[in-house]
Amino acid sequence: MQKLNIAGREFTSRLILGTGKYRSMDEMVSAIETSGTDMITVALRRLDLDDPDKKTLLDYIDWTKYNILPNTAGCRTPDEALTVARLARAMDLSNWIKLEVIPDPKYLLPDPIGTLEAATALISEGFTVLPYIHADPVLARRLQEIGCATVMPLGSAIGSGQGIHTSEEIKIIIEQATVPVIVDAGLGVPSDAAQAMEMGADAVLVNTAIAQADNPSLMAEAFRQGVEAGFKAAQAGRISVR
């Protein structure tokens, strides 16, 4: 399968995995391995960094095999997101950041104004920014214009498993894209990932659908196959609907 290129860096897999909500570290590690991913996101605000002797999920990840993408999950304001991004860089985790600014704890929908503000500031500080957004074509274009490395529109609400409710908007984002488009949030089953790839998305990011499955490792393998099938279908070119 053709490699994914983000900001000049190549990735073999087009499936990115989150690391939250797993029942155990063993399940997380097994799912990461069977997924075939080479990029995983880590929410710094959910790590216990106060006790240096206490293990965090970072201690269970093989840093030689996977690219660590810190994210600003849990940040409600641009200032909070900037603080977390700077902490990630100070910890030598990465100069890349998955940007999330989510002020609403109930529906977990991203703040478009706060996201644009934070992205602008982070880019000015030399970060490679991958912003999580609602499927808003206008916002996606603005984020591209200021220098974001990707745009990451949601399929549906985080953790909902509802699949892709924003397909028409995502299609417009893909049509206008000058950077990779990664569908993030709401995917529930591998067919959702295949649908995103068939529409022309460059990659998908999955967390809850794998972490909370009865068998996370098997579900991760299934998502890998769904992503591969969808990408190949997009490359092959489907027939017209008649």
Side-chain angles (χ1 to χ4, degrees):
M1 189 165 67
Q2 181 182 343
K3 291 184 178 181
L4 170 66
N5 188 302
I6 301 176
R9 186 184 297 179
E10 289 190 335
F11 300 91
T12 301
S13 174
R14 292 174 180 267
L15 172 60
I16 303 169
L17 253 59
T19 51
K21 303 183 181 180
Y22 284 91
R23 289 178 289 266
S24 71
M25 290 296 143
D26 287 341
E27 285 194 340
M28 180 192 73
V29 171
S30 178
I32 290 172
E33 290 176 350
T34 59
S35 73
T37 189
D38 43 14
M39 187 192 300
I40 49 183
T41 70
V42 176
L44 292 194
R45 295 200 65 166
R46 295 176 184 146
L47 300 180
D48 183 0
L49 301 175
D50 293 330
D51 184 354
D53 297 321
K54 185 177 180 180
K55 279 190 173 183
T56 70
L57 65 83
L58 292 173
D59 296 301
Y60 294 86
I61 296 170
D62 185 346
W63 289 51
T64 64
K65 290 176 62 177
Y66 305 107
N67 293 277
I68 308 298
L69 177 63
N71 71 57
T72 64
C75 294
R76 298 188 176 194
T77 67
D79 285 343
E80 289 179 2
L82 289 168
T83 298
V84 169
R86 291 164 182 157
L87 174 62
R89 184 157 64 183
M91 293 170 63
D92 289 327
L93 286 179
S94 179
N95 201 44
W96 288 35
I97 195 78
K98 184 196 172 195
L99 176 61
E100 300 182 22
V101 180
I102 302 177
D104 180 1
K106 181 177 182 180
Y107 296 107
L108 300 176
L109 296 174
D111 175 0
I113 298 171
T115 299
L116 181 60
E117 180 183 331
T120 302
L122 288 168
I123 290 167
S124 72
E125 294 183 20
F127 284 92
T128 299
V129 181
L130 293 74
Y132 166 64
I133 60 172
H134 203 289
D136 180 342
V138 176
L139 176 61
R141 190 169 62 248
R142 289 287 303 277
L143 289 165
Q144 290 176 160
E145 290 169 353
I146 66 169
C148 287
T150 67
V151 289
M152 305 180 73
L154 57 82
S156 54
I158 291 177
S160 68
Q162 294 180 20
I164 299 178
H165 289 180
T166 56
S167 58
E168 296 307 314
E169 292 83 0
I170 289 174
K171 288 176 183 177
I172 296 172
I173 291 172
I174 291 169
E175 177 188 328
Q176 298 179 343
T178 57
V179 297
V181 177
I182 302 171
V183 176
D184 176 13
L187 306 187
V189 287
S191 56
D192 296 331
Q195 179 189 355
M197 301 305 293
E198 288 167 3
M199 289 192 297
D202 295 280
V204 299
L205 192 153
V206 183
N207 185 17
T208 307
I210 293 174
Q212 293 291 293
D214 291 342
N215 186 332
S217 180
L218 185 59
M219 186 62 82
E221 182 181 4
F223 263 97
R224 181 189 73 200
Q225 294 167 342
V227 168
E228 291 174 354
F231 179 78
K232 289 176 181 177
Q235 295 297 299
R238 64 158 293 152
I239 64 169
S240 301
V241 178
R242 297 185 177 89

